[in-house]
Amino acid sequence: MVSGHMLVAFTFLALASFVLASDPSPLQDFCVAIDEPKDAVFVNGKFCKDPMLAKADDFFLKGLNKPGNTSNQLGSMVTPANVVQIPGLNTLGISLVRIDYAPYGLNPPHTHPRATEALIVLEGSLYVGFVTSNPENRLFTKVLYEGDAFVFPEGLVHFQFNVGKTPAVAFAGLSSQNPGVITIAKAVFGSNPPISDDVLAKAFQVDKKVVDRLQAQFWMDIN
């Protein structure tokens, strides 16, 4: 039988775990990221510039109107606008990307370990989807047209494929200043050093020669 004191303790621990599971809110207006640690404070993986030295350019990026180069194996290109390109995004918990797709271009199955993604199509049409976690592994898909939006939950494998005969363009907002990206095929078959073909052959239930052939390919990074 659980006593009243134990129940209070369990409740406190549960609430504490919930609070600690979320990202902390910034305690200042902004924290412009800099590479030089002299006279700076380290926050969220970046050093913060003295707020009195911050300027408008720290929060500015131009060029997102320019198409990315889709002349590659996958026929797509992601142009990021995260804390690397806009230092003022540090600690603000948001970033964005432009994604260009050649006809039948693919942004291959990947995941963002630190962010939910909300995507809107500006030109063309995209077949998009995500897969839920084990054990169900449910696939949610939709064909998007200009003006349509779709959300990919944080950490779940997702993709976009241009199903049209013309180029497509999409923009996406992500709930992290540095969402990270793991492209599934590249991570599994293009890791450095390579994962043992014994491991991959057993995991995918295929012959080692199939694994060796896949590992020998050049795995394009469009992110």
Side-chain angles (χ1 to χ4, degrees), residues 27-64:
L27 300 179
Q28 66 282 330
D29 288 342
F30 51 79
C31 171
V32 176
I34 56 173
D35 295 324
E36 173 54 55
K38 185 176 183 295
D39 299 325
V41 179
F42 194 70
V43 180
N44 281 19
K46 295 287 184 180
F47 291 101
C48 293
K49 177 185 289 188
D50 183 337
M52 299 305 296
L53 300 178
K55 53 188 185 298
D57 282 347
D58 293 327
F59 304 89
F60 172 75
L61 177 68
K62 65 179 180 179
L64 288 178

Side-chain angles (χ1 to χ4, degrees), residues 102-175:
Y104 308 111
L106 172 70
N107 189 7
H110 63 282
T111 177
H112 302 293
R114 295 181 291 275
T116 291
E117 176 180 349
L119 177 141
I120 184 169
V121 177
L122 299 188
E123 297 177 17
S125 54
L126 297 175
Y127 170 66
V128 306
F130 66 84
V131 180
T132 64
S133 55
N134 298 353
E136 290 85 5
N137 298 129
R138 292 181 62 196
L139 173 64
F140 290 79
T141 64
K142 198 79 174 175
V143 176
L144 307 182
Y145 301 94
E146 293 180 16
D148 291 346
F150 198 80
V151 173
F152 305 105
E154 179 176 340
L156 297 187
V157 175
H158 59 284
F159 60 87
Q160 303 107 35
F161 178 63
N162 182 2
V163 293
K165 297 180 180 179
T166 60
V169 180
F171 274 77
L174 297 110
S175 61

Side-chain angles (χ1 to χ4, degrees), residues 161-219:
F161 178 63
N162 182 2
V163 293
K165 297 180 180 179
T166 60
V169 180
F171 274 77
L174 297 110
S175 61
S176 172
Q177 66 267 13
N178 185 18
V181 61
I182 302 170
T183 304
I184 306 305
K186 184 177 186 295
V188 172
F189 296 108
S191 66
N192 184 22
I195 298 173
S196 165
D197 56 5
D198 290 314
V199 171
L200 295 181
K202 194 171 187 66
F204 288 92
Q205 294 294 289
V206 296
D207 189 89
K208 285 186 185 180
K209 292 181 180 178
V210 175
V211 173
D212 293 340
R213 186 164 66 251
L214 289 169
Q215 289 183 319
Q217 290 186 29
F218 172 72
W219 293 97

Side-chain angles (χ1 to χ4, degrees), residues 60-112:
F60 172 75
L61 177 68
K62 65 179 180 179
L64 288 178
N65 61 317
K66 298 178 181 177
N69 183 4
T70 59
S71 298
N72 54 60
Q73 296 167 294
L74 298 171
S76 67
M77 182 56 65
V78 176
T79 303
N82 55 45
V83 69
V84 176
Q85 292 78 32
I86 309 176
L89 285 176
N90 191 42
T91 76
L92 299 186
I94 193 171
S95 60
L96 68 151
V97 295
R98 171 185 173 132
I99 314 172
D100 290 275
Y101 312 82
Y104 308 111
L106 172 70
N107 189 7
H110 63 282
T111 177
H112 302 293

Side-chain angles (χ1 to χ4, degrees), residues 11-23:
T11 303
F12 176 79
L13 287 173
L15 289 173
S17 298
F18 177 78
V19 171
L20 292 173
S22 61
D23 290 334

